[in-house]
Amino acid sequence: MPNATIDLRKLKNEIKSRSHDAEEEPRLELEENFHSDQLSEEAVSSRALLEWSAPEFEHHADRSTLLLGAGALLAIGGIVAVILGNYLFAIFLGVAGGLVASYAFRKPLEIRSAVTSRGLVVSNRLYEFENLDSFWIFYDPPLFRELSLHSKKMFMPFVRVPLGELDPLRLRGVLLRFLKEEKQEESLIDILAKRLGF
């Protein structure tokens, strides 16, 4: 029986390549998840540099009363429009009144957000840093507590994310690694909406 020669270098390289392939599989699967806009919570949590959760808007009893009152006024305006014979305007006011009144009873959704090395994840949707131009944090409790992202996309120039109880300085420190900070101004409509509780 002849002596068999074993090439240890070849054996070592085969073992290395097998262990390398085994390590790469989960990472590739995770990278595939990050190419889509919708991400699972596990994929986000495993990559998150900072995570937080906040209601989409502050719910106040005064806000509900104000919205119900506005809805009632719109409905009354609809009745007056019917009396005056302006039926199209009456339909418009009736629908608007119904929408405003239904918004008074709507409970805020809890929005989960996270900053990852690829971008900002808001409700499992990824906004990649390469598609974002800058950020600004509006922080003036109780009116303003939100992150505003300036997007490079023409049809969606700004993305607003509620901060809840998150420390804005901590968020700023993380975002400065990926985006530039650029001051943004609140429009008069935004200020009025915040004061009215929207």
Side-chain angles (χ1 to χ4, degrees):
M1 180 171 172
N3 287 342
T5 308
I6 298 174
D7 187 358
L8 292 177
R9 282 178 277 186
K10 185 178 176 185
L11 185 61
K12 183 180 174 184
N13 288 338
E14 284 178 6
I15 292 171
K16 239 188 213 182
S17 69
R18 283 184 196 155
S19 66
H20 183 68
D21 290 344
E23 282 178 16
E24 284 298 304
E25 276 182 34
R27 194 174 342 138
L28 288 173
E29 183 183 327
L30 193 59
E31 287 297 324
E32 281 175 14
N33 288 341
F34 264 74
H35 288 297
S36 67
D37 282 347
Q38 298 293 326
L39 302 173
S40 68
E41 287 187 27
E42 296 82 28
V44 171
S45 293
S46 67
R47 290 286 185 105
L49 302 171
L50 182 65
E51 284 184 274
W52 72 95
S53 181
E56 65 178 325
F57 60 86
E58 297 291 328
H59 188 71
H60 301 290
D62 297 341
R63 174 182 172 276
S64 297
T65 306
L66 181 70
L67 288 173
L68 280 174
L73 283 176
L74 287 168
I76 291 169
I79 293 169
V80 171
V82 166
I83 292 169
L84 296 175
N86 194 343
Y87 300 110
L88 185 61
F89 190 58
I91 291 170
F92 171 75
L93 288 177
V95 169
L99 287 174
V100 170
S102 69
Y103 199 76
F105 298 107
R106 187 171 161 255
K107 298 289 181 205
L109 297 173
E110 196 71 18
I111 297 178
R112 291 183 45 120
S113 306
V115 179
T116 69
S117 58
R118 294 273 317 261
L120 189 83
V121 180
V122 181
S123 297
N124 293 335
R125 181 180 165 88
L126 176 65
Y127 297 95
E128 292 183 298
F129 288 129
E130 64 188 37
N131 296 327
L132 299 174
D133 188 44
S134 62
F135 78 94
W136 184 253
I137 298 173
F138 291 102
Y139 196 77
D140 184 18
L143 292 179
F144 300 108
R145 257 186 268 185
E146 64 185 14
L147 167 67
S148 178
L149 300 167
H150 186 214
S151 174
K152 293 177 183 174
K153 295 182 179 179
M154 192 169 63
F155 297 109
M156 190 183 61
F158 293 98
V159 177
R160 297 292 178 104
V161 184
L163 296 181
E165 300 301 317
L166 179 69
D167 180 11
L169 295 176
R170 188 172 167 213
L171 175 63
R172 180 179 180 266
V174 172
L175 286 177
L176 279 173
R177 289 193 255 168
F178 306 102
L179 290 173
K180 65 182 177 184
E181 183 178 32
E182 195 171 275
K183 187 170 172 115
Q184 299 172 13
E185 296 294 330
E186 285 279 19
S187 68
L188 182 61
I189 292 172
D190 288 334
I191 293 170
L192 287 174
K194 296 291 183 201
R195 294 220 182 258
L196 292 175
F198 286 98

